[in-house]
């Protein structure tokens, strides 16, 4: 994305004086800084500061969000290419987007208050999440649903109502009071309902007022009639857009007549409602506090002036509404810019503004992915569409990778980045700390499923080395076997054999007894396994088989030289066993061995003498 | 960004280097007080010093970890003209309970006649190999043929760079597509000739390292150098700390089959930043090579990032402000100002939310 010239953020580090040099070291998810002096001397204040990015992946709220969006992301990737329309994509999502996450979290939030500062952080997070949801829903309406004229307004109306639920709260308060029509917020509620086009509720509220003013009954009846006759487009019905438009104009004219006739002149509230129904700009702008936002103003204005608005006409209205609503003092804020960009169908701008405004890549990455799947990035002439998607997803997933458990979610994201996903995964999965065997096995499973053989080997080697340093030979051996590291397996087998020579027993018998085909990894390991087997046979008094095995060990030449004496010693008692067949053969072999052994000893001894 | 935690390092003199281990759970610090300290990160994120010992008879310039495949191994280099290799010994259970560990010296490398300015392990696929560079302009590559016996190191290569060396960086790529390669930086301050960065490449036939490239455009003293992690690219990216921050792209040119010499590279400069106003002392890449950090004379650490279109810009500055250290650790900064008060109405909606649905 081309960059807007945003100034880099400055983070102040305490206890490092202005002008002193700052050293640093990159870590997983953070950077360490310390005061130092390059090419100079002097004492330093020796503090090391751990600096982290603001995006708080450790927050419990965001955690839930990450999990849910991961679920949706994976579901989206597996949707087939041949789905006929974007509508189907949306249907697949079943509107199970971040929307649902927010509301289920409200209770979670209220439980989690803590200090004031934490609470503020939470509310901020929540307000950011709500803003994100606002943006996301609008993008859905405009880009994915992309409804034709008529339906479009209904969707926008839904969108506004969804994000302005405080009306219902107020309404409930009013209705639960002793005399609702006399409640001080009564008319506010009524007007708010009108502004949202919830005319049924308006009518119900007005009935209460009408009952209080029997003298004005006919006026209220007239208003009620007007309200009940306002046409709303029915997308599933048989009425065409043109027919609806005609009907709507008739109704509009009727309302206008009422106003001109001064039918409501004696009741300023009803007159006000009448003006709103006509979409009078000044009246609407008089009620900024009730509208709250310029986009509410936009939708209300469209509702009462141009309900058959088309997607392509939106941006005219959006810009002018925003300008009218925000007075000259206030400057549009980032959220306003994002929404405006959406109304203007500038997807690229939406993504760019979101990236700047929101620290975490989460939203932008998922939004871009969604748009890419709906083939919207291409159609909007972002020729690097799918690569932008991948860029953002890689950023987001890399951020998750430093978390002690969220890294597992990140794996799926990398899996769906065709160009760089694999290499990013290879690089980062190696760095996952292997605090426990269980965690190491989890990481290994991920690597094995993806045929990342080098990473598998490396992780197993690290675990084997760690076990060996802590003298856990059995564990070291099983990890080397898993790493298919013949050299290391040889080394550990040697240790086992040395241990045996020293102590006379084997440790980790279970492991050695159940090596199976893994035994073939290295000669030394095979010897270890077979030698142990020999011991077992001997212990079970199966001397014939024991002798046979011993014989094969001697002839196969896999016994280390250092072990020959031991083997010979083992052979001797066997020679005395009557059941051992091929006794004479065994005798001959043993004799031959003894000779060879003495020859070697003699030779080395003799050589030493020669050089003295 | 915010300060999450501050650790009192307790060195009696300037800290010259801090190095995280491969998994980011341990770190080593070295200082002019001639000692090295090793710190372990506990489950709750607190750092504890588990070892502290005198390593040299002069300032210790750099400390670095070997890959965990080789065990717990550190190397340090010093003004005292030596480099040393240290291994952690698994101690008595008492020590473990007290959270202490012991490191013992496995070898001292004494070949240099001047201060040893940098020490780095080569990429793990090359085995356990250690590289040092010195102010006498020599790069030395040592190998421990038996990883179980760290007291045996042999000097495999001695490369004279003609200029006083200040830093080395290995190309971390383990791809078969190119032979092992490292870059050396020189802090020689004579600007009349260029070539303060040299790239050496291993030649399978001669079994030696030969100079493949000299960056003639780098004429000022180079203080630090860093190859970026490779990420499957066909070209290499090198960051240099000199009088500014420079990022180079080295594109290997296609070799003729008969050519036996080192690879020829097309050298392109990708970015150059002089925001630090004067000398840049350190550069280093994060793990995914998406961020470069640099530290300079202006006392700041700057973070550089490439956007999608490969345009580099500064995305963050860490600046000492001399303020006293407060007791509490930091909190993420408020983001509300970013989204502004139009979010207020959404926030008000919060009250109606649970009821409304």
């Amino acid at each position: 994305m081309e960059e807007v010239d945003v100034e880099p953020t400055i983070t102040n580090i305490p206890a490092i004086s202005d002008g002193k040099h700052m050293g640093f070291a990159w870590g997983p998810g953070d950077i360490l800084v310390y005061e130092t002096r390059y090419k100079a001397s002097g004492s330093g204040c020796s503090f090391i500061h751990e600096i982290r990015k603001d995006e708080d992946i450790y927050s419990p709220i965001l955690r839930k969000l990450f999990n849910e969006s991961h679920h949706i992301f994976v579901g989206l990737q597996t949707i087939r290419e041949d789905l006929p329309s974007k509508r189907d994509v949306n249907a697949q999502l079943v509107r199970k987007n971040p929307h649902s996450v927010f509301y289920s979290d409200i209770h979670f939030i209220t439980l989690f208050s803590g200090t004031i500062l934490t609470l503020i952080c939470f509310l901020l997070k929540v307000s950011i999440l709500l803003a994100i949801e606002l943006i996301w829903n609008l993008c859905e309406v405009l880009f994915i649903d992309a409804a034709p004229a008529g339906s479009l307004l209904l969707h926008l109306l839904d969108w506004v109502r969804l994000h302005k639920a405080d009306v219902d709260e107020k309404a409930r308060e009013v209705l639960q009071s002793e005399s609702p029509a006399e409640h001080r917020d009564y008319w506010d509620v009524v007007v708010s309902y009108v502004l949202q086009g919830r005319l049924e509720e308006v009518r119900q509220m007005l009935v209460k007022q009408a009952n209080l003013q029997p003298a004005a009954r006919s006026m209220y009846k007239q208003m009620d009639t007007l309200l009940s006759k306002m046409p709303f487009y029915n997308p599933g019905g048989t009425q065409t857009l043109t027919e609806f438009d005609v009907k709507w104009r008739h109704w509009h004219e009727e309302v206008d007549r009422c106003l001109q006739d001064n039918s409501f002149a004696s009741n300023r509230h009803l007159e006000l409602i009448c003006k709103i129904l006509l979409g009078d700009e000044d009246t609407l702008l008089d009620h900024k506090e009730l509208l709250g936002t310029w986009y509410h103003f936009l939708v209300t204005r469209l509702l009462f002036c141009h309900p058959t608005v088309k997607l392509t006409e939106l941006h005219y209205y959006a810009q002018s509404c925003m300008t009218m609503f925000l007075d000259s003092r206030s400057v549009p804020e980032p959220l306003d810019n994002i929404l405006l960009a959406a109304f203007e169908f500038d997807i690229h701008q939406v993504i760019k503004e979101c990236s700047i405004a929101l620290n975490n890549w989460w939203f932008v990455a998922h939004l871009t992915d969604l748009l890419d799947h709906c083939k919207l990035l291409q159609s909007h002439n972002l020729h690097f569409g799918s690569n932008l998607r991948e860029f953002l997803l890689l950023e987001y997933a890399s951020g998750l990778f430093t978390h002690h458990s969220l890294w597992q979610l990140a794996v799926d994201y990398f899996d769906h980045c065709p160009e760089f996903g694999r290499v990013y995964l290879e690089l980062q999965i190696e760095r996952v700390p292997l605090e426990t065997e269980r965690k190491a096995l989890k990481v290994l499973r991920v690597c094995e499923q993806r045929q990342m053989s080098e990473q598998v080997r490396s992780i197993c080697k690290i675990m084997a080395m760690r076990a060996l340093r802590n003298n856990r030979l059995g564990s070291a051996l099983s990890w080397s076997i898993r790493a298919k590291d013949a050299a290391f397996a040889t080394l550990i087998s040697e240790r086992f054999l040395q241990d045996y020579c020293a102590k006379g027993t084997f440790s980790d018998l279970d492991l050695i007894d159940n090596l199976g085909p893994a035994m073939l990894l290295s000669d030394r390991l095979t010897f270890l396994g077979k030698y142990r087997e020999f011991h077992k046979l001997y212990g079970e008094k199966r001397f014939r088989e024991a002798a046979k095995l011993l014989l094969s060990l001697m002839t196969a030449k896999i016994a280390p030289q250092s072990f020959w004496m031991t083997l010979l010693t083992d052979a001797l008692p066997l020679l005395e066993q009557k059941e051992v067949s091929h006794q004479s053969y065994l005798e001959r072999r043993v004799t031959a061995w003894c000779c060879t052994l003495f020859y070697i000893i003699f030779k080395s001894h003799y050589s030493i003498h020669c050089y003295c | 960004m915010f300060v999450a935690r501050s650790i009192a390092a307790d060195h009696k003199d300037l800290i010259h280097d801090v190095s995280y281990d491969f998994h980011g759970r341990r770190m080593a610090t070295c200082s002019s007080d001639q000692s090295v300290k090793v710190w372990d990160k506990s489950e709750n994120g607190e750092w504890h010093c588990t070892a502290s010992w005198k390593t040299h008879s002069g300032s210790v310039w750099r400390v670095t970890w070997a890959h965990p495949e080789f065990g717990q191994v550190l190397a340090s280099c010093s003004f005292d003209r030596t480099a040393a290799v240290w291994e952690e010994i698994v101690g008595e259970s008492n020590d473990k309970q007290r959270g202490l560990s012991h490191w013992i010296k496995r070898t001292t490398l004494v070949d240099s006649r001047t201060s040893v300015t940098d020490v780095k392990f080569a990429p793990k696929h090359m085995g356990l190999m250690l590289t040092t560079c010195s102010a006498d302009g020599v790069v030395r590559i040592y190998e421990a043929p038996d990883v179980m016996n760290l007291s045996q190191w042999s000097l495999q290569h001695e490369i004279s760079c003609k200029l006083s060396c200040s830093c080395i960086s290995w190309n971390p790529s383990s791809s078969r597509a190119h032979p092992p390669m490292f870059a050396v930086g020189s802090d020689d301050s004579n600007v009349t000739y260029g070539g303060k960065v040299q790239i050496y490449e291993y030649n399978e036939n001669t079994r030696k390292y030969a100079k493949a490239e000299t960056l003639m455009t780098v004429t000022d003293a180079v203080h630090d150098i860093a190859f970026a992690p490779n990420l499957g690219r066909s070209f290499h990216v090198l960051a240099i700390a000199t009088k500014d921050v420079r990022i180079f792209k080295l594109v290997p040119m296609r070799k003729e089959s008969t050519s036996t010499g080192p690879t020829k590279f097309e050298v392109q400069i990708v970015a150059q930043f002089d925001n630090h106003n004067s000398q840049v002392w350190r550069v280093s890449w994060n793990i995914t090579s998406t961020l470069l950090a640099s530290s300079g004379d202006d006392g700041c650490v700057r973070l550089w990032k490439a956007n999608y279109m490969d345009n580099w810009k500064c995305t963050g500055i860490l600046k000492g402000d001399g303020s006293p250290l407060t007791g509490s650790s930091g909190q993420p900064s408020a983001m509300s100002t970013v989204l502004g008060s139009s979010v207020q109405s959404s926030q008000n909606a919060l009250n109606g939310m649970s009821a409304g649905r």
Side-chain angles (χ1 to χ4, degrees), chain A residues 31-47:
Chain A
I31 184 168
L32 300 177
V33 294
Y34 54 95
E35 189 182 289
T36 185
R37 229 136 155 68
Y38 294 109
K39 287 287 187 271
S41 58
S43 64
C45 160
S46 69
F47 273 98

PDB file of all heavy atoms in Angstrom, chain A residues 31-47:
ATOM      1  N   ILE A  31      11.413  -6.177  21.968  1.00  0.00           N
ATOM      2  CA  ILE A  31      12.779  -5.744  21.689  1.00  0.00           C
ATOM      3  C   ILE A  31      13.348  -5.216  23.005  1.00  0.00           C
ATOM      4  O   ILE A  31      12.660  -4.531  23.770  1.00  0.00           O
ATOM      5  CB  ILE A  31      12.787  -4.682  20.549  1.00  0.00           C
ATOM      6  CG1 ILE A  31      14.203  -4.283  20.182  1.00  0.00           C
ATOM      7  CG2 ILE A  31      11.961  -3.470  20.908  1.00  0.00           C
ATOM      8  CD1 ILE A  31      14.267  -3.478  18.898  1.00  0.00           C
ATOM      9  N   LEU A  32      14.560  -5.595  23.302  1.00  0.00           N
ATOM     10  CA  LEU A  32      15.196  -5.141  24.534  1.00  0.00           C
ATOM     11  C   LEU A  32      16.075  -3.943  24.219  1.00  0.00           C
ATOM     12  O   LEU A  32      16.780  -3.939  23.215  1.00  0.00           O
ATOM     13  CB  LEU A  32      16.082  -6.254  25.126  1.00  0.00           C
ATOM     14  CG  LEU A  32      15.398  -7.551  25.505  1.00  0.00           C
ATOM     15  CD1 LEU A  32      16.418  -8.563  25.995  1.00  0.00           C
ATOM     16  CD2 LEU A  32      14.357  -7.334  26.589  1.00  0.00           C
ATOM     17  N   VAL A  33      16.024  -2.922  25.060  1.00  0.00           N
ATOM     18  CA  VAL A  33      16.935  -1.791  24.845  1.00  0.00           C
ATOM     19  C   VAL A  33      17.684  -1.482  26.125  1.00  0.00           C
ATOM     20  O   VAL A  33      17.183  -1.713  27.222  1.00  0.00           O
ATOM     21  CB  VAL A  33      16.182  -0.519  24.366  1.00  0.00           C
ATOM     22  CG1 VAL A  33      15.582  -0.735  23.003  1.00  0.00           C
ATOM     23  CG2 VAL A  33      15.133  -0.098  25.352  1.00  0.00           C
ATOM     24  N   TYR A  34      18.858  -0.947  25.983  1.00  0.00           N
ATOM     25  CA  TYR A  34      19.679  -0.628  27.144  1.00  0.00           C
ATOM     26  C   TYR A  34      20.589   0.519  26.777  1.00  0.00           C
ATOM     27  O   TYR A  34      20.906   0.750  25.605  1.00  0.00           O
ATOM     28  CB  TYR A  34      20.503  -1.846  27.571  1.00  0.00           C
ATOM     29  CG  TYR A  34      21.334  -2.445  26.456  1.00  0.00           C
ATOM     30  CD1 TYR A  34      22.669  -2.094  26.269  1.00  0.00           C
ATOM     31  CD2 TYR A  34      20.773  -3.364  25.574  1.00  0.00           C
ATOM     32  CE1 TYR A  34      23.416  -2.618  25.236  1.00  0.00           C
ATOM     33  CE2 TYR A  34      21.514  -3.905  24.535  1.00  0.00           C
ATOM     34  CZ  TYR A  34      22.836  -3.535  24.375  1.00  0.00           C
ATOM     35  OH  TYR A  34      23.562  -4.071  23.342  1.00  0.00           O
ATOM     36  N   GLU A  35      21.032   1.204  27.823  1.00  0.00           N
ATOM     37  CA  GLU A  35      21.907   2.337  27.580  1.00  0.00           C
ATOM     38  C   GLU A  35      23.321   1.837  27.408  1.00  0.00           C
ATOM     39  O   GLU A  35      23.779   0.937  28.113  1.00  0.00           O
ATOM     40  CB  GLU A  35      21.831   3.285  28.777  1.00  0.00           C
ATOM     41  CG  GLU A  35      22.533   4.585  28.535  1.00  0.00           C
ATOM     42  CD  GLU A  35      22.476   5.464  29.765  1.00  0.00           C
ATOM     43  OE1 GLU A  35      21.383   5.962  30.071  1.00  0.00           O
ATOM     44  OE2 GLU A  35      23.513   5.623  30.421  1.00  0.00           O
ATOM     45  N   THR A  36      24.020   2.417  26.474  1.00  0.00           N
ATOM     46  CA  THR A  36      25.404   2.008  26.273  1.00  0.00           C
ATOM     47  C   THR A  36      26.147   3.160  25.615  1.00  0.00           C
ATOM     48  O   THR A  36      25.595   4.234  25.442  1.00  0.00           O
ATOM     49  CB  THR A  36      25.460   0.729  25.398  1.00  0.00           C
ATOM     50  OG1 THR A  36      26.812   0.291  25.310  1.00  0.00           O
ATOM     51  CG2 THR A  36      24.964   1.020  23.995  1.00  0.00           C
ATOM     52  N   ARG A  37      27.380   2.921  25.302  1.00  0.00           N
ATOM     53  CA  ARG A  37      28.141   3.915  24.593  1.00  0.00           C
ATOM     54  C   ARG A  37      29.018   3.179  23.595  1.00  0.00           C
ATOM     55  O   ARG A  37      29.809   2.323  23.971  1.00  0.00           O
ATOM     56  CB  ARG A  37      29.017   4.674  25.580  1.00  0.00           C
ATOM     57  CG  ARG A  37      28.880   6.105  25.381  1.00  0.00           C
ATOM     58  CD  ARG A  37      28.734   6.951  26.607  1.00  0.00           C
ATOM     59  NE  ARG A  37      29.200   8.282  26.271  1.00  0.00           N
ATOM     60  CZ  ARG A  37      28.569   9.098  25.422  1.00  0.00           C
ATOM     61  NH1 ARG A  37      27.483   8.731  24.845  1.00  0.00           N
ATOM     62  NH2 ARG A  37      29.057  10.281  25.158  1.00  0.00           N
ATOM     63  N   TYR A  38      28.857   3.496  22.350  1.00  0.00           N
ATOM     64  CA  TYR A  38      29.665   2.833  21.346  1.00  0.00           C
ATOM     65  C   TYR A  38      30.955   3.606  21.194  1.00  0.00           C
ATOM     66  O   TYR A  38      30.974   4.811  21.079  1.00  0.00           O
ATOM     67  CB  TYR A  38      28.907   2.781  20.026  1.00  0.00           C
ATOM     68  CG  TYR A  38      27.686   1.907  20.119  1.00  0.00           C
ATOM     69  CD1 TYR A  38      26.420   2.447  20.112  1.00  0.00           C
ATOM     70  CD2 TYR A  38      27.805   0.520  20.239  1.00  0.00           C
ATOM     71  CE1 TYR A  38      25.294   1.643  20.199  1.00  0.00           C
ATOM     72  CE2 TYR A  38      26.697  -0.292  20.334  1.00  0.00           C
ATOM     73  CZ  TYR A  38      25.441   0.281  20.317  1.00  0.00           C
ATOM     74  OH  TYR A  38      24.348  -0.514  20.410  1.00  0.00           O
ATOM     75  N   LYS A  39      32.036   2.865  21.142  1.00  0.00           N
ATOM     76  CA  LYS A  39      33.352   3.464  20.911  1.00  0.00           C
ATOM     77  C   LYS A  39      33.658   4.590  21.897  1.00  0.00           C
ATOM     78  O   LYS A  39      34.213   5.603  21.548  1.00  0.00           O
ATOM     79  CB  LYS A  39      33.428   4.035  19.479  1.00  0.00           C
ATOM     80  CG  LYS A  39      33.522   2.951  18.430  1.00  0.00           C
ATOM     81  CD  LYS A  39      34.886   2.309  18.446  1.00  0.00           C
ATOM     82  CE  LYS A  39      35.099   1.342  17.321  1.00  0.00           C
ATOM     83  NZ  LYS A  39      34.691  -0.021  17.622  1.00  0.00           N
ATOM     84  N   ALA A  40      33.250   4.425  23.091  1.00  0.00           N
ATOM     85  CA  ALA A  40      33.596   5.420  24.115  1.00  0.00           C
ATOM     86  C   ALA A  40      33.513   4.705  25.432  1.00  0.00           C
ATOM     87  O   ALA A  40      33.016   3.599  25.515  1.00  0.00           O
ATOM     88  CB  ALA A  40      32.629   6.584  24.066  1.00  0.00           C
ATOM     89  N   SER A  41      34.011   5.336  26.428  1.00  0.00           N
ATOM     90  CA  SER A  41      33.929   4.669  27.726  1.00  0.00           C
ATOM     91  C   SER A  41      33.029   5.487  28.632  1.00  0.00           C
ATOM     92  O   SER A  41      32.576   6.555  28.270  1.00  0.00           O
ATOM     93  CB  SER A  41      35.317   4.558  28.325  1.00  0.00           C
ATOM     94  OG  SER A  41      35.854   5.859  28.435  1.00  0.00           O
ATOM     95  N   GLY A  42      32.816   4.985  29.758  1.00  0.00           N
ATOM     96  CA  GLY A  42      31.968   5.711  30.689  1.00  0.00           C
ATOM     97  C   GLY A  42      31.088   4.713  31.388  1.00  0.00           C
ATOM     98  O   GLY A  42      30.881   3.618  30.913  1.00  0.00           O
ATOM     99  N   SER A  43      30.602   5.095  32.514  1.00  0.00           N
ATOM    100  CA  SER A  43      29.737   4.151  33.212  1.00  0.00           C
ATOM    101  C   SER A  43      28.337   4.291  32.650  1.00  0.00           C
ATOM    102  O   SER A  43      27.946   5.344  32.170  1.00  0.00           O
ATOM    103  CB  SER A  43      29.747   4.443  34.699  1.00  0.00           C
ATOM    104  OG  SER A  43      29.194   5.723  34.885  1.00  0.00           O
ATOM    105  N   GLY A  44      27.635   3.255  32.736  1.00  0.00           N
ATOM    106  CA  GLY A  44      26.272   3.289  32.206  1.00  0.00           C
ATOM    107  C   GLY A  44      25.290   2.990  33.300  1.00  0.00           C
ATOM    108  O   GLY A  44      25.619   2.407  34.319  1.00  0.00           O
ATOM    109  N   CYS A  45      24.081   3.420  33.051  1.00  0.00           N
ATOM    110  CA  CYS A  45      23.013   3.045  33.960  1.00  0.00           C
ATOM    111  C   CYS A  45      22.541   1.702  33.471  1.00  0.00           C
ATOM    112  O   CYS A  45      22.051   1.587  32.354  1.00  0.00           O
ATOM    113  CB  CYS A  45      21.904   4.089  33.850  1.00  0.00           C
ATOM    114  SG  CYS A  45      20.342   3.496  34.440  1.00  0.00           S
ATOM    115  N   SER A  46      22.725   0.662  34.247  1.00  0.00           N
ATOM    116  CA  SER A  46      22.472  -0.613  33.607  1.00  0.00           C
ATOM    117  C   SER A  46      21.080  -1.159  33.856  1.00  0.00           C
ATOM    118  O   SER A  46      20.862  -2.043  34.661  1.00  0.00           O
ATOM    119  CB  SER A  46      23.547  -1.643  33.988  1.00  0.00           C
ATOM    120  OG  SER A  46      23.443  -2.003  35.333  1.00  0.00           O
ATOM    121  N   PHE A  47      20.146  -0.580  33.119  1.00  0.00           N
ATOM    122  CA  PHE A  47      18.811  -1.153  33.075  1.00  0.00           C
ATOM    123  C   PHE A  47      18.571  -1.684  31.681  1.00  0.00           C
ATOM    124  O   PHE A  47      18.994  -1.091  30.701  1.00  0.00           O
ATOM    125  CB  PHE A  47      17.748  -0.082  33.369  1.00  0.00           C
ATOM    126  CG  PHE A  47      17.470   0.085  34.821  1.00  0.00           C
ATOM    127  CD1 PHE A  47      18.062   1.095  35.550  1.00  0.00           C
ATOM    128  CD2 PHE A  47      16.604  -0.796  35.472  1.00  0.00           C
ATOM    129  CE1 PHE A  47      17.805   1.231  36.902  1.00  0.00           C
ATOM    130  CE2 PHE A  47      16.342  -0.663  36.824  1.00  0.00           C
ATOM    131  CZ  PHE A  47      16.948   0.359  37.542  1.00  0.00           C
TER     132      PHE A  47
END
